[in-house]
Amino acid sequence: MAGLKRKDGPISKPTGDNKRKKSKKEAPQLKKTTFALQLQETETDSDPVVESDTTEHSGEDDGVSWPSDEDERPIELPLKNQKPRKEKVDETSDGGVPLGKEPVAGKDGKNASSSKDAHAKQKFVAQERKAAKPNADSIARSKKIWERLRRKSHVPLAERKELVAELFEIIGGRVKDFVFKHDSVRVVQTALKYANIDQRKMIARELKGEYRGLAESRYAKFLIGKILVHGDEETRDMVVPEHYGHVRHLIKHPEASWILDDIYRGIATPAQKANLLREWYGAEFAIFKTVGKASPSADLKRLLEKHPEKRKTIMRSLNDLINALVQKKTTGFTILHDAMLEYFLNVQPESEEVTDFIELLKGDEEGDLLKNLAFTKSGARLVCLALAHGNAKDRKLILKTYKSILQTLAYDAYGHQLLLTIYDVMDDTVLISKTIFPELIGRDPLSDDQNQTLLRSATNLNARIALLYPFSGSSKAILPDDDLAIINETHRIRENTSKKDPEIRRKELVKSLSPSLLSFITASAETLVQTSFGCQFITEVLLGASGEREPALNAVAVLVHGSPETRAFLNSPAAGRMLKSLVLGGRFNPKTKAIELADPPLGFHDMLYATIREEIVDWATGNNSFVVLGLMEATGFSGTSSLTKALRQDKVILEKAANESMPGPSQGESSSSAKTGCKLQKKSKSATVGNRGTQLLLSKLDK
C-alpha cells in the first residue's frame, strides 16, 4: 500500500470476511472533499503503521475511509434540461482555504501562494548577494543612467549631458572594475559613445595594460572596438601594440580572434599590420621586433631572400598555424588570408608544397574556406593563383564550390576576379557556358525578370566586368588596375598549365554569350543609354559579339527618333562616345594610334545616317558633332559625298557654331579634347571655346 511504512511486522492481506460488502442500493457516494487532505495518524488493532500524507486510514478497512451514515444521502439526478443544483458549503475550512475553491497548484505540485513566496525569497536572496559585491551601489546607479541614456531620442540634450557627467563621476578612476562584468561593461560603452575626446582618452589610459584581457572577454571585447572607433591616433597606438607577442595565441582564441582581425583589417597602420603578420612566421618574430627607423615588412619573399637558412622553420610555422585555423573552421579572417597568400607565393613551383596547399583548399567539404577567400583582396588573389596552378580536375572542383554564389561573386569587388581567371585558364568552355552563364544572364529566351536582372548587372561597377571581359579582353576602359595585375599574373602561369589557345578559348566564350546579350540590347537599348555604364555595355558587346547583330544595331539607331527624354540622353557625353565608336566600327588602339575594325564590319554608319540625314546640320553643330565627324572618317561609309555636300551647303551655320563663345568644352567631345579644354580654362578663366567637333568638320571640308 503506497505511503505505508512497516513498524513491527508484515501486514496481512485482508480476507474476504473482513471486507465490508455494500449493495448497490446502499452504496454511498464518496464525500467530495474541497480542501487539501490533512495528515492523519491512525492505529490498527494488529499492525501499527505510519501513513503517508495521501491516505486516510480507519481500523478494519485497512487504509480506506468510508463515509458514515450521516454522510449518506440519495443521489439526486437532474431532470432533463435542468442544470445541476449547487450545494452550499461552508465559507472556509479549518486550513483557511475557502471551501469550493481548490488551491491552485504550481508547476511542482505546490500551492501557488507558497511558490510565489519561494520566488520572492529567492529574489531577495539574490539581491542581498548582489548588494554584498564590491561597487554594488555604483554599478546599480550607473545601470540606471545607462537605461536612460540608451534611448537617445527620448532624452533631451541638456539632460543627456548631465547624465553623462554623473556617469563619469561614478566610473572615473575605477573603469577596470566595470569592464569585466557583462552588464556594467555596457555602461562604459555608452559613456564612450557620448563622451568628448578627453573623456575617451581618460578611459583608454585607465585600461592600459588590460587590452589583451579585454580581447579575450566575451563581452569586453566589444569595448576595444568602441575605443578604437571613437579614438584618435594616440589611442590606436596605445591599444594595438598590446597585442604584439600574443598573435599566435589570440588568433586561436574563440573571442579574441575576431577583435584581433578587426584591428588588423580596419584600424592598424601598415607598420602595425606588418608586425602582427610577422608573428605568424615563428616565435622569433613574436619576441624580437624591428628596431630603428626602418619600418617592418611582412613580405615573406624579401625576408627569405635575406635569411634563406630560415626558410624551413618559417614555412613550417606558417603552415602549422594555417592548418590549425582551417581545421577549426575559423577561415573568415583577413589576417589568415594574407598569411595564406604569403605562404603560397613562396612555395617551390610545381612542387609537393603547391599540390598539398591546393588539396588544403579543396579539403573543406562545405567549401567555407574557398567561399571566405573569394571576398578579400588577398584571398581572391590566392584562389586565382590556385586556379592557374591547378589541373583540370582542381579547377572543376573549385568551380563547383562557387556554383551557388556566382551572382554574389560577380557583384563583389574581389570576387569577380575569380570569374575572369576561370575564363582565362579553364579549357572546358562548355562547362563554363553551362555553369556560369545561366547564373549570370539566365537562359534564352530571356524573360522580363531576367532582363531586369541583366540590366542591374550591366550597369553595376563590378558585375558588368564578368559579362564584358570575353568581348573587350584586357581593356583598361573596363578593367581596374588590380584586375589587370591579376590577369597578367595568371596569363604567365597558364602558359605551362593550360593547353587551349587563348584566342580560341575567348571566341568560344563570346559565341556562347552573344545570343543572350544581343537579345537583351535589342529589348533594353532605350534603358541602357540612360547611364554611362549602359552605353559602354552596348559598345563593347556590339563591337565584339558574333552572330546576328543587325536587330540590336537597329534598336540603337532608331533611338534618335525616340521620346524627348531618350533624345536628351543621347546628347550625353557617354552616348556620344558610344555612337562615335559604333560609327567608326571598332576600338581605338592607343599603341598603333588606329581603329581596330570589328570582324565582320558593323555597318552602323549607314544605319545611323539614314535616320539623321534630315537633321545632319543640327547634329554637326550640337553636342554630338563628333558623331558626324566619325561618319566622315568611317571606313566603308557609303554616304560620304552626300554628307559633305549637305554640310557645305550650310557652312555658314557651321562657322557660327565653331566660333560661338561657350563656357568650356563641348559635352560631346572626346576625353582628350575635354582635357585640352580644361587646360585652356586653367590658362585663363575667361577663355572660351566654340564647338570643337564643328571646328574639326570645317577643317575637313576645307581640304
Side-chain angles (χ1 to χ4, degrees), residues 19 85 137 315 351:
K19 291 184 179 180
R85 185 176 59 189
D137 295 338
M315 296 295 282
S351 65

Side-chain angles (χ1 to χ4, degrees), residues 60-205:
E60 63 179 6
D61 295 321
D62 197 18
V64 180
S65 177
W66 294 98
S68 64
D69 293 336
E70 295 178 359
D71 296 329
E72 296 181 11
R73 61 175 180 269
I75 302 173
E76 296 181 3
L77 298 175
L79 298 177
K80 188 176 183 181
N81 299 330
Q82 180 181 355
K83 295 182 179 179
R85 185 176 59 189
K86 294 184 179 179
E87 297 182 3
K88 293 183 179 180
V89 295
D90 294 336
E91 291 297 328
T92 60
S93 64
D94 295 339
V97 181
L99 294 177
K101 297 182 180 179
E102 295 184 0
V104 180
K107 294 182 179 180
D108 55 355
K110 299 181 180 179
N111 295 344
S113 58
S114 61
S115 177
K116 183 178 180 180
D117 293 341
H119 284 303
K121 186 177 181 180
Q122 291 175 358
K123 186 176 181 180
F124 179 75
V125 172
Q127 289 176 347
E128 282 188 334
R129 189 184 302 115
K130 188 179 294 185
K133 293 181 178 180
N135 302 314
D137 295 338
S138 300
I139 293 176
R141 175 55 186 161
S142 64
K143 287 167 66 176
K144 292 289 185 181
I145 298 175
W146 167 79
E147 184 66 29
R148 180 66 177 155
L149 283 174
R150 71 185 185 89
R151 304 180 66 194
K152 181 177 179 181
S153 59
H154 296 265
V155 183
L157 179 60
E159 181 184 355
R160 185 166 71 241
K161 289 182 178 179
E162 293 178 1
L163 292 174
V164 171
E166 182 182 355
L167 187 57
F168 271 93
E169 289 179 1
I170 295 173
I171 67 175
R174 46 181 177 173
V175 177
K176 294 180 182 179
D177 298 334
F178 285 76
V179 294
F180 288 102
K181 298 180 177 63
H182 74 91
D183 52 354
S184 57
V185 70
R186 302 173 187 172
V187 175
V188 183
Q189 292 184 40
T190 303
L192 276 169
K193 180 178 180 181
Y194 295 113
N196 56 43
I197 188 63
D198 293 330
Q199 291 171 328
R200 289 168 181 165
K201 285 184 178 181
M202 180 269 290
I203 293 177
R205 292 190 189 101

Side-chain angles (χ1 to χ4, degrees), residues 407 411 439-442 446-465 467-468 516-517 519-538:
Q407 277 276 6
Y411 279 85
E439 295 294 328
L440 298 183
I441 63 178
L446 299 178
S447 64
D448 292 340
D449 291 340
Q450 289 174 334
N451 276 330
Q452 289 299 318
T453 302
L454 196 51
L455 180 62
R456 287 193 294 272
S457 299
T459 54
N460 181 269
L461 176 63
N462 299 314
R464 67 194 182 99
I465 298 176
L467 298 174
L468 296 179
S516 297
L517 296 188
S519 174
F520 165 66
I521 292 174
T522 303
S524 307
E526 186 174 358
T527 308
L528 287 171
V529 297
Q530 297 177 11
T531 62
S532 60
F533 284 161
C535 293
Q536 192 176 40
F537 183 86
I538 292 175

